[in-house]
Amino acid sequence: KITSKTKLSKIIEMNPDAAEILFEQGMHCIGCVMAGDESLEEGCKAHGMNKNEIDEFVKRFNEKWHTDIQKN
């Protein structure tokens, strides 16, 4: 399960296809050296998301992670 505290680099390490979910949210900077050390929450905040939006994104991320990506 991904949490808001999970590092972006760890998410991609766990499954490179997770980048697709981040791209859909407009987070195209995951290849940036600085972004890799950020948590999902920090990345979301850098893209202007508030706490409620982050919580909702984490929920959707996990739903998509477990339905689409883990099938592959």
Side-chain angles (χ1 to χ4, degrees):
K1 181 178 177 179
I2 302 301
T3 71
S4 63
K5 302 300 182 195
T6 305
K7 298 285 186 188
L8 291 172
S9 58
K10 182 68 174 174
I11 292 170
I12 300 305
E13 178 185 316
M14 291 168 62
N15 189 330
D17 292 336
E20 181 181 319
I21 299 170
L22 298 171
F23 289 155
E24 289 172 4
Q25 187 61 40
M27 298 175 73
H28 300 104
C29 58
I30 61 164
C32 173
V33 174
M34 293 179 65
D37 197 42
E38 287 185 337
S39 67
L40 182 57
E41 179 179 37
E42 291 167 328
C44 289
K45 284 182 179 179
H47 286 269
M49 296 172 73
N50 65 37
K51 171 107 174 78
N52 290 336
E53 291 168 326
I54 294 169
D55 290 344
E56 183 59 32
F57 177 58
V58 170
K59 179 182 172 189
R60 284 186 324 223
F61 189 105
N62 278 300
E63 289 170 357
K64 188 161 183 71
W65 175 272
H66 291 291
T67 56
D68 291 349
I69 290 179
Q70 295 295 13
K71 282 193 244 179
N72 296 329

